[in-house]
């Protein structure tokens, strides 16, 4: 029975994968029942079926089908196999290619590896890729191999493969970012570009003025990966001037601003991206976390709703869901964060969100593991902050101090890293003087850093210097419309029995952020103080109501 293979190609070309899969079953079946069918034809028909299964994302079935094809391929007479390989060596097509090519063992192995990779089976995928000779690897094969090596923490091999990608084509942006994150210097990455130009017979890359922007892009990514956030932002800013409204650059800038705590600027850039392209999913979980810090739940709700309608399979969507659910159900939020990591085990915001939730759930030991997971992928300020908070939560002072000093070493010009060391010293009553010095150093380095000012004010309060705390905080009022600043001032005024001033600042905090729990609780306590009631005394009325209700119940039962 003849099955028209050209019609199978038509189905694939038109992305009618379900019909192609059904027709592929007929192809495979017709060759299997005919004893005169050659092994070559049987293998070819199985590959056609495997391609349809791959494109339908039925990866397990695709792997099995491709492997059956290779079994038939092994028994093809050697001379035929050799001629087939030689004639097709330059025609290997990736799994997403719409052209059907005859048997190419390297290509079939690549498709098997791609299927394993889609199932997060890195080791099995590497076995298939390593069976492909290096000279037979296409650009797409080199990129997959680089990613697999990186996922399995074979960083030296990963670097070699990512470099090979850039020799094929200097515009493989994924390879540039990966090499920067793996610690390769900008000059070493840029030097590969000239090799690519020479290989392609073009003019030396570094003389092409039109391509200088790519070198700036490399330098920016290397700055960010080495925690030189200021340098990275300046370079990205230059690129944005040359490429206005570039969504990728805006996203990179917003992500860095979120990492270093420039929350208002980051929110503004994320919102600009969404106005330019409302269907962007990349880094939108970072935007969700920022909206939560502002207690802007109406925007957060809309963001999550939009993301679910765009692509509910992306890890960013599950982190955003986790952020939204945290206020209602922390355990449910944790399951969403874990789901994001299962989808993509390299998704850093998933680990950060998981760590923060575990801290809230009073599970600091587990939080350490989550933050370490993020740090192994790409250490940044937030992972160090998470580690320090986690260690302090179960009084591992030595480990917290080591992590904070590690942050200071990685980011010597960061006021936030200095403040982190101060936080560890402040945890121990004997270390308050050292903490004060670190907070003051952070403020000298970054005079507008409110976090350090709040921490220093807290030290003043603990040591009874309320006047110093007030004068320090009031200097920030003219530049900062921040609810936490007003809450801290209110707490200091309440402690010194300046109740009217405390009331004014609690009300100011709630005007800025009506969801601020510290302000709500502080205002409740303050109102009791103003009425002359002990704010820590139990609620007598509520207790009486409970007792009355119990008495009524007993009377009902007696009757």
């Amino acid at each position: 029975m003849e099955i028209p293979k050209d019609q199978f190609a038509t189905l694939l070309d038109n992305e009618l994968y379900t019909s192609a899969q059904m027709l592929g079953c007929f192809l495979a079946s017709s060759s299997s029942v005919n004893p005169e069918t050659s092994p070559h034809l049987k293998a070819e028909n199985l590959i056609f079926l495997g391609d349809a299964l791959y494109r339908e994302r039925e990866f397990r079935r695709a792997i099995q089908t491709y492997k059956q094809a290779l079994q038939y391929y092994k028994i093809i007479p050697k001379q035929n196999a050799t001629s087939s390989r030689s004639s097709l060596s330059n025609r290997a097509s990736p799994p997403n290619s719409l052209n059907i090519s005859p048997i190419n063992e390297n290509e079939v192995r690549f498709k098997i590896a791609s299927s394993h990779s889609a199932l997060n089976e890195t080791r099995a995928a590497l076995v298939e890729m390593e069976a492909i000779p290096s000279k037979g690897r296409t650009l797409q094969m080199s990129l997959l191999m680089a990613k697999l090596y990186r996922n399995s923490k074979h960083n030296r091999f990963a670097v070699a493969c990512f470099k090979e990608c850039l020799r094929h084509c200097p515009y493989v942006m994924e390879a540039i970012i990966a090499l920067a994150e793996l610690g390769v210097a900008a000059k070493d990455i840029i030097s590969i570009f000239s090799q690519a130009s020479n290989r392609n017979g073009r003019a030396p890359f570094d003389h092409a003025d039109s391509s200088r922007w790519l070198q700036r892009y490399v330098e920016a990514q290397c700055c960010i990966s080495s925690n030189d956030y200021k340098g990275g932002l300046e370079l990205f800013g230059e690129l944005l001037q040359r490429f206005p409204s570039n969504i990728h650059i805006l996203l990179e800038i917003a992500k860095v601003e979120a990492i270093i705590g420039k929350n208002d600027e980051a929110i503004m850039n994320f919102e600009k991206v969404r106005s330019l392209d409302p269907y962007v999913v990349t880094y939108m979980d970072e935007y969700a976390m920022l909206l939560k810090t502002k207690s802007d739940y109406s925007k957060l709700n809309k963001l999550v709703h939009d993301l679910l309608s765009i692509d509910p399979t992306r890890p960013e969507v599950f982190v955003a869901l986790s952020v939204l659910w945290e206020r209602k159900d922390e355990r449910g939020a944790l399951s969403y964060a874990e789901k994001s990591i299962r989808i993509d085990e390299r998704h850093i915001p998933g680990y950060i969100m998981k760590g923060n939730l575990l801290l809230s759930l009073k599970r600091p030991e587990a939080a350490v593991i989550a933050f370490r997971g993020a740090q192994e992928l790409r250490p940044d300020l937030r992972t160090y902050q998470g580690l320090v908070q986690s260690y302090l939560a179960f009084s591992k002072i030595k480990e917290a101090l080591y992590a904070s000093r590690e942050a200071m070493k990685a980011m010597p010009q960061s006021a936030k890293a200095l403040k982190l060391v101060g936080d560890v010293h402040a945890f121990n009553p004997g270390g308050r003087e050292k903490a004060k010095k670190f907070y003051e150093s952070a403020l000298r380095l970054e005079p507008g850093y409110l976090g350090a000012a709040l921490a220093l004010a807290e030290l003043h309060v603990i040591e009874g210097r309320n006047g110093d705390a007030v004068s320090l905080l009031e200097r920030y009022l003219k530049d900062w419309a921040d609810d936490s600043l007003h809450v801290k001032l209110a707490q200091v005024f309440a402690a010194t029995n300046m109740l009217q001033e405390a009331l004014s600042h609690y009300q100011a905090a709630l005007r800025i952020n009506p969801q601020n729990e510290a302000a709500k609780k502080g205002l409740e306590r303050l109102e009791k103080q103003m009425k002359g009631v002990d704010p820590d005394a139990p609620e007598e009325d509520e207790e009486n109501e409970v007792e009355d209700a119990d008495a009524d119940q007993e009377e009902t039962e007696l009757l």
Side-chain angles (χ1 to χ4, degrees), residues 321-338:
L321 274 166
S322 178
V323 174
L324 181 63
W325 273 83
E326 182 179 3
R327 192 168 58 142
K328 306 171 189 174
D329 176 8
E330 286 181 329
R331 294 187 184 279
L334 181 61
S335 69
Y336 282 128
E338 289 171 336

Side-chain angles (χ1 to χ4, degrees), residues 15 41 44 59 93 126 139 162 171 176 194 213 230 284 337 395 417 423 426 442 481 544:
E15 300 183 5
L41 188 58
E44 188 180 70
F59 298 118
S93 61
L126 263 177
L139 173 57
F162 281 125
Y171 294 93
I176 291 172
S194 58
W213 67 265
K230 184 182 176 184
M284 285 300 121
S395 300
D423 290 343
N544 291 340

Side-chain angles (χ1 to χ4, degrees), residues 46-47 49-50 53 60-69:
L46 284 166
I47 290 168
L49 175 58
L53 291 166
R60 289 260 177 252
R61 292 180 68 197
I63 291 167
Q64 182 186 24
T65 306
Y66 285 137
K67 286 188 173 180
Q68 287 175 6

